[in-house]
């Protein structure tokens, strides 16, 4: 992936090493975090539900550590910053074409745990988006997981992770997130999971749109890059992860979609670059 021409984003908050707790501190072993990551981030249950994330939200938030920009020589942080900037450019333009204004999210780099407006964010949740504070949270240790545990190496695979979370921000701005959240309260667990899958596949489709439009703007992709992202989408499908984690597949408990669905919707966004192609809620087939 060719990222040298991309600018850096002004919206990265580097909270690493700022007392938020780290891997191995506080008695949480790396093995436990890795296991929780596998079980909670991608499989059946929403990680936020699993970890009591929503219930934890206190009325008064502890103040977040002071934000500062990542050091210029920090390669991974710079990569994330450039990808984030690229999503800003793509979505600003896409919203403008729709007569709307895009408000960029902030991206927080943290290690271990960090306060968010949705409760305490933890490494074990994997990367996530908090709709209440419009921030994407990521512990860069996740990229090592992606490469080593999920066998999904490559920069475009890493970029896809960011673009997917930014996709959730786009859904938030468009009001999709609110509607889905409200609808989930009224339906059965199985139906709530089905809504969650549609929401996640739409975020994959939006990530695909970013890939297409970003590549049109700056020709980012080298041969093999698209395959790396599709490989990542395959590796983190619910069916694949459930098979690995529990040896069987329970489609009703999917919350993110199967590998094939995730690939299909990412591709749909990537091939069209058109937001109208991402209506997973109206699709006859996912
Ligand atoms: Zn998601």
């Amino acid at each position: 992936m060719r990222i040298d021409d991309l600018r850096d984003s002004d919206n990265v908050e580097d909270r690493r090493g700022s007392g938020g707790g780290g891997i191995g501190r506080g008695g949480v072993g790396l093995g436990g975090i890795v296991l929780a990551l596998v079980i909670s981030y991608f499989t059946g249950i929403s990680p936020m539900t699993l970890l009591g994330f929503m219930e934890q939200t206190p009325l008064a938030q502890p103040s977040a550590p002071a934000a500062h920009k990542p050091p210029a020589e920090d390669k991974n942080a710079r990569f994330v910053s450039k990808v984030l900037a690229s999503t800003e450019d793509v979505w600003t333009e896409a919203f403008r074409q729709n007569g709307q204004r895009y408000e960029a999210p902030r991206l927080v780099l943290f290690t271990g745990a960090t306060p968010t407006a949705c409760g305490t964010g933890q490494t074990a949740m994997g990367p996530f988006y908090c709709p209440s504070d419009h921030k994407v949270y990521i512990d860069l240790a996740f990229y090592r997981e992606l490469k080593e545990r999920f066998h999904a190496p490559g920069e475009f695979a890493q970029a896809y992770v960011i673009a997917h979370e930014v996709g959730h921000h786009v859904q938030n701005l468009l009001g999709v997130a609110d509607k889905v959240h409200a609808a989930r309260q009224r339906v059965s667990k199985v139906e709530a999971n089905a809504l969650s899958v549609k929401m996640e596949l739409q975020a994959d489709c939006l990530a695909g749109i970013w890939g297409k439009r970003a590549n049109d703007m700056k020709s980012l992709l080298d041969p093999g890059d698209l395959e790396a992202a599709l490989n990542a989408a395959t590796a983190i499908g619910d069916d694949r992860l459930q098979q690995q984690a529990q040896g069987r597949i329970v489609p009703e408990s999917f919350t993110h979609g199967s590998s094939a669905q995730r690939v299909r919707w990412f591709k749909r966004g990537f091939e069209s670059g058109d937001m109208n192609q991402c209506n997973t809620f109206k699709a006859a087939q996912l």
Side-chain angles (χ1 to χ4, degrees), residues 84 87-88 91 95 101-106 128-136 162-177 199 203 206:
L84 184 66
T87 66
E88 290 162 5
W91 289 115
F95 272 57
R101 208 175 75 83
Y102 181 65
E103 280 169 56
R106 289 178 75 81
F128 65 95
Y129 171 72
C130 171
S132 306
D133 59 18
H134 289 203
K135 290 180 181 179
V136 172
I162 304 288
H164 173 94
E165 298 307 333
V166 171
H168 285 313
H169 175 68
V170 169
Q171 291 174 314
N172 195 21
L173 294 183
L174 295 177
V176 178
M199 182 97 170
L206 296 172

Side-chain angles (χ1 to χ4, degrees), residues 160 163-164 167-168 171 176 193-209 233-234 236-239 254-270 275 277-281 283 285-286:
Y160 155 67
H164 173 94
H168 285 313
Q171 291 174 314
V176 178
N193 285 344
L195 281 171
S196 171
V197 167
K198 288 175 184 170
M199 182 97 170
E200 292 301 325
L201 293 176
Q202 186 173 63
D204 283 335
C205 187
L206 296 172
I209 289 185
T234 304
I236 58 182
D238 284 326
D239 47 351
F254 285 2
T255 54
H256 285 70
S258 69
S259 296
Q261 287 170 332
R262 299 199 72 164
V263 165
R264 189 151 59 237
W265 285 95
F266 180 86
K267 265 184 154 168
R268 192 149 164 173
F270 187 85
M275 285 170 80
Q277 294 297 314
C278 292
N279 195 343
T280 53
F281 298 93
Q285 197 215 339
L286 287 176

